Amino acid sequence: MKTTQNYSRIIAGTMTWGNWGKNLSESEIIKLMQHSLDAGITTFDHADIYGGYTNEAMFGNAFVNSSITRDSIQLISKCGIQHVCDARENTIGHYQYNKDYIIESVHQSLKNLKTDYLDFLLLHRPSPLMHPLEISEAIYQLKKEGKIIDFGVSNFSPSQIQMIETAVPVVGNQVEFSLTQHSVMYDGTLDDCITNKRMVMAWSSLGSYFKEKNDKTSRIKEALGLLTKKYNATEDQLLLAWVLKHPAKVYPVIGTATPERVIAAVNALDINLELEDWFVLLKASQGHPVP
């Protein structure tokens, strides 16, 4: 099973571009999009919920006022989370995956992003109430109408994907994966992606290293101190290189809006961590040698 699109190996995550983070202006978004393209990042990751359902329109307005052509980029978006915020009348956070809602969500994302199609649609998080036939009816209709090209999921377990695949193929899974959070290496998620040739995208690909100070991040910092000199690389580059070495061929989603760190992320693709150095970092994260 393979995707039909050519996604850039490093994906630009837009979650913090709006009011959940940087609050970038239209001109700043255009500049960041162009900078990403110049660096070789052509894929932009969205979700309807980002910015309290405001980020997609913010991005779309910038995109339509830029000189960037639609065929030069790939757009990923997600749907299914019903968030409690000003934009919705929800009284409690929940998930919704009935046919009409999925279709309506995609049409709204297309309108907001100022585009005719999504390259990749993901179901954002699994719901206990989702049914594969209901989902498949929406996906096949959207594909037939040319509204989406690839279909996948986010944060789904292998058994949940297996259930969805009784009705419609799933070509990708976006999951949390980093040196500080790597349970997907052990719970069958990445095994499933290798076995079924599923595209793996990693959100929070730098993990908690720059956000938390604890025993784990202190051990990692000590290990990175030796490796930054050996590889002539920055800490964030080595954290990405660790993720990139996994045989599932992971596509990291980076959340930075800093131009220099965008370049650094792309340059991480040139770092080939030696086998023992990869395990040095794993040991630092886990706090014990491999069994």
Side-chain angles (χ1 to χ4, degrees):
M1 186 185 305
K2 295 181 180 179
T3 68
T4 56
Q5 300 298 84
N6 293 317
Y7 301 100
S8 56
R9 187 70 188 278
I10 303 293
I11 295 172
T14 65
M15 186 178 77
T16 62
W17 289 18
N19 62 29
W20 283 5
K22 298 291 186 179
N23 260 322
L24 299 177
S25 67
E26 183 174 297
S27 61
E28 288 173 327
I29 294 171
I30 292 172
K31 189 178 295 185
L32 184 54
M33 289 177 67
Q34 190 59 59
H35 178 78
S36 299
L37 287 171
D38 292 343
I41 298 176
T42 60
T43 306
F44 296 87
D45 180 74
H46 295 271
D48 60 353
I49 191 178
Y50 290 167
Y53 303 96
T54 64
N55 272 30
E56 288 184 328
M58 177 194 71
F59 183 96
N61 290 334
F63 168 57
V64 80
N65 288 318
S66 74
S67 59
I68 297 168
T69 60
R70 179 63 181 90
D71 60 2
S72 66
I73 63 173
Q74 302 83 45
L75 297 177
I76 300 170
S77 196
K78 314 175 196 74
C79 74
I81 298 179
Q82 285 278 25
H83 184 52
V84 178
C85 64
D86 292 341
R88 299 280 169 107
E89 296 181 354
N90 301 320
T91 57
I92 188 172
H94 60 284
Y95 308 118
Q96 187 167 353
Y97 288 123
N98 60 290
K99 176 184 176 181
D100 289 344
Y101 182 76
I102 294 172
I103 292 172
E104 177 188 334
S105 294
V106 169
H107 286 172
Q108 188 61 51
S109 288
L110 297 179
K111 180 181 177 182
N112 290 339
L113 290 166
K114 303 289 196 293
T115 184
D116 296 328
Y117 66 96
L118 293 175
D119 296 272
F120 219 143
L121 171 68
L122 308 179
L123 305 185
H124 205 156
R125 286 190 177 275
S127 170
L129 298 179
M130 62 189 176
H131 194 285
L133 289 176
E134 184 87 13
I135 290 167
S136 69
E137 286 181 8
I139 299 309
Y140 282 124
Q141 180 174 324
L142 289 165
K143 278 178 167 283
K144 184 179 180 181
E145 294 173 351
K147 304 296 185 184
I148 66 172
I149 298 176
D150 285 328
F151 166 68
V153 296
S154 184
N155 307 299
F156 276 50
S157 69
S159 64
Q160 289 164 337
I161 293 176
Q162 185 179 15
M163 179 184 70
I164 299 298
E165 286 207 307
T166 61
V168 61
V170 175
V171 301
N173 192 8
Q174 186 177 125
V175 295
E176 184 177 10
F177 180 46
S178 67
L179 181 59
T180 59
Q181 176 50 268
H182 46 257
S183 59
V184 290
M185 291 198 306
Y186 300 104
D187 65 10
T189 300
L190 296 188
D191 300 342
D192 164 76
C193 291
I194 293 174
T195 300
N196 294 288
K197 297 181 174 62
R198 238 184 282 288
M199 179 180 172
V200 190
M201 293 162 275
W203 61 268
S204 192
S205 49
L206 297 180
S208 62
Y209 180 74
F210 293 106
K211 300 174 184 176
E212 299 177 7
K213 191 172 183 179
N214 50 40
D215 290 345
K216 177 187 286 190
T217 56
S218 295
R219 292 191 305 266
I220 294 171
K221 188 171 187 65
E222 185 178 351
L224 286 173
L226 300 172
L227 297 179
T228 52
K229 297 173 184 176
K230 177 176 179 178
Y231 290 94
N232 189 27
T234 59
E235 291 178 330
D236 51 336
Q237 286 179 316
L238 289 173
L239 291 171
L240 285 177
W242 188 88
V243 168
L244 289 163
K245 191 172 180 68
H246 195 279
K249 191 184 177 184
V250 180
Y251 289 66
V253 179
I254 61 169
T256 185
T258 305
E260 294 77 18
R261 293 188 71 180
V262 170
I263 296 291
V266 174
N267 289 338
L269 293 168
D270 297 326
I271 300 172
N272 182 20
L273 277 181
E274 292 179 12
L275 182 68
E276 289 196 3
D277 291 336
W278 190 89
F279 279 98
V280 164
L281 290 173
L282 179 64
K283 178 186 175 183
S285 176
Q286 296 181 334
H288 59 75
V290 295

